[in-house]
Amino acid sequence: MICLYLRKAVINLKKTVSIILLFAVIIASLIPTTAFADYELPQYMRIGIYYGAGAVKQVKLGSDHGFLIGEYNGREFSEDDSINEEELIAEVSGGKITVKNPAGDVIESGVSRVAIRPDASGKKQVVYIDGVAYRGGVDCIAKDDTINIINVVFLDHYLYGVVSREMSPSWETEALKAQAVCARNYAVNNLDKHSEEGFDLCSGVHCQAYSGIKSESDSIFEPVEDTTRQVMTYDGKIAQLYYSSSMGPTTENVENVWGSSIPYLISVDNSFEDTDNIPNGVWSGTLTCEAATVIMRNKGYDVGDVTDIKVLEYTDNYRALKMEVTGTNGSKVFEREACRTLFNTVTKS
């Protein structure tokens, strides 16, 4: 028996709120303060590469220019020593990190944290983390008997990798510039988002997609550099900007997602999007009562065996705002974003 059938995203989002890809351009007329002021922006970003369940016991680091060994005080590097090696190995045992060269000579030992950076500057500052190239350096932090590996990278060098992942590098230069500004705003507004793990942002779509140099494209460099240190503001504060790959004919008001009202995160027309010819522009999903029951119980909502799911209220843009799940032991009402995330095995985001 099928108890739920969906023909479009309940709230079609990528990062929690649906804002069009060129949001920075479209809302410019709503902003009372000039967008491109030189604010106190961080010079570096700390990006989690290996952490949590993905933390490692050992990592191989490579450099074409040798290494500097030292420590990061937040985002700033201080040098203790220089090493004329092309490869180093960092490993952990008993909560302490040892750094050695391939021959087994110990460079550093008995530390809970060590910074390793290529002995180069600018775009030549490239470190290979298990063979994958990243700009900047690496902060190795012992966590129990594993190591968190954090890429510490110039903000704009980080954006080279982000813009290339979040937008097609073949798109027009002005679109890439808008994406660069959006991504810069997002990065600056989310410093220390993963502070418990020792970094600012992760490298996945939970934050912004980033995979280092391998995702970069030559067409990205100019848009990022031409907008360097440019952010969008509202009433003198850096604006909260979000973007998604698609969202149907309109975006959604933020209060219908998070419950809070932000004057510039409002619904705008998106009728120019070719919904029928983009991935997940139009989609459908089915959910059996049995599957819905398991999902509800796993998430701590035991209404018994699910018998019905219905939308109680829609937004002005025809997205579910309030939804009721009924079972043999009662019912539970979900609102706003929860309408999408509850059954996210079938609802696209």
Side-chain angles (χ1 to χ4, degrees):
M1 174 177 158
I2 304 299
C3 65
L4 179 64
Y5 184 77
L6 301 172
R7 289 202 62 85
K8 277 214 172 188
V10 173
I11 304 176
N12 189 6
L13 308 175
K14 185 176 183 184
K15 292 184 175 63
T16 312
V17 61
S18 184
I19 303 298
I20 63 172
L21 194 56
L22 299 184
F23 179 83
V25 174
I26 290 179
I27 69 165
S29 61
L30 302 177
I31 296 180
T33 304
T34 301
F36 306 122
D38 192 7
Y39 284 83
E40 290 295 326
L41 305 183
Q43 187 175 11
Y44 296 93
M45 297 293 298
R46 296 176 57 86
I47 310 301
I49 305 300
Y50 299 149
Y51 60 93
V56 295
K57 289 184 174 293
Q58 183 186 88
V59 63
K60 292 182 179 180
L61 304 175
S63 167
D64 296 331
H65 302 281
F67 292 95
L68 300 177
I69 307 296
E71 60 182 355
Y72 280 107
N73 182 11
R75 298 175 185 85
E76 296 298 324
F77 179 82
S78 59
E79 176 187 347
D80 293 333
D81 199 4
S82 61
I83 306 295
N84 187 24
E85 297 280 356
E86 291 187 353
E87 183 178 294
L88 294 176
I89 300 167
E91 57 188 17
V92 65
S93 178
K96 299 296 182 181
I97 297 172
T98 297
V99 180
K100 57 187 179 181
N101 64 17
D105 301 322
V106 174
I107 309 299
E108 188 78 68
S109 65
V111 295
S112 59
R113 182 173 182 172
V114 61
I116 304 172
R117 196 174 81 173
D119 191 3
S121 59
K123 289 184 179 179
K124 292 183 179 180
Q125 192 180 92
V126 175
V127 61
Y128 296 88
I129 303 176
D130 285 337
V132 179
Y134 294 84
R135 301 190 185 278
V138 173
D139 199 4
C140 303
I141 303 176
K143 290 287 187 180
D144 297 323
D145 212 29
T146 59
I147 312 174
N148 281 2
I149 302 299
I150 298 158
N151 179 207
V152 185
V153 56
F154 280 116
L155 174 57
D156 278 2
H157 289 183
Y158 163 68
L159 294 178
Y160 291 159
V162 170
V163 177
S164 294
R165 286 286 306 276
E166 297 283 8
M167 179 180 279
S168 172
S170 66
W171 284 22
E172 295 293 334
T173 299
E174 294 306 311
L176 295 171
K177 287 181 181 180
Q179 178 63 48
V181 173
C182 282
R184 186 178 292 109
N185 268 62
Y186 184 88
V188 173
N189 273 328
N190 287 276
L191 295 177
D192 293 324
K193 184 174 181 178
H194 288 269
S195 59
E196 291 186 2
E197 290 116 327
F199 54 90
D200 296 316
L201 301 175
C202 68
S203 56
V205 295
H206 175 260
C207 295
Q208 295 188 118
Y210 169 73
S211 52
I213 291 176
K214 69 179 182 181
S215 64
E216 292 180 1
S217 174
D218 290 345
S219 62
I220 297 300
F221 298 146
E222 181 181 345
V224 171
E225 291 162 5
D226 283 354
T227 63
T228 188
R229 300 195 64 77
Q230 292 182 359
V231 292
M232 180 162 280
T233 67
Y234 183 87
D235 278 349
K237 297 181 181 180
I238 296 176
Q240 299 180 44
L241 303 188
Y242 303 88
Y243 52 91
S244 68
S245 57
S246 66
M247 76 294 297
T250 61
T251 67
E252 189 56 76
N253 293 321
V254 69
E255 60 263 30
N256 293 332
V257 183
W258 290 330
S260 57
S261 178
I262 300 175
Y264 52 86
L265 294 185
I266 57 176
S267 176
V268 296
D269 176 67
N270 188 46
S271 57
F272 52 82
E273 183 176 277
D274 187 7
T275 305
D276 291 334
N277 293 299
I278 59 174
N280 297 322
V282 177
W283 58 271
S284 64
T286 59
L287 185 68
T288 64
C289 289
E290 290 80 4
T293 298
V294 171
I295 291 171
M296 289 287 287
R297 286 175 176 163
N298 286 344
K299 294 188 176 183
Y301 306 116
D302 191 357
V303 296
D305 295 333
V306 174
T307 58
D308 188 34
I309 300 173
K310 62 182 177 181
V311 176
L312 302 178
E313 186 177 346
Y314 291 90
T315 71
D316 292 340
N317 298 308
Y318 303 104
R319 294 184 172 99
L321 183 62
K322 187 179 293 186
M323 180 177 73
E324 182 180 40
V325 181
T326 301
T328 53
N329 292 340
S331 63
K332 173 70 176 177
V333 173
F334 298 89
E335 298 184 51
R336 302 184 180 91
E337 185 186 17
C339 296
R340 171 182 63 87
T341 59
L342 179 63
F343 298 118
N344 56 10
T345 55
V346 294
T347 53
K348 302 290 185 182
S349 174

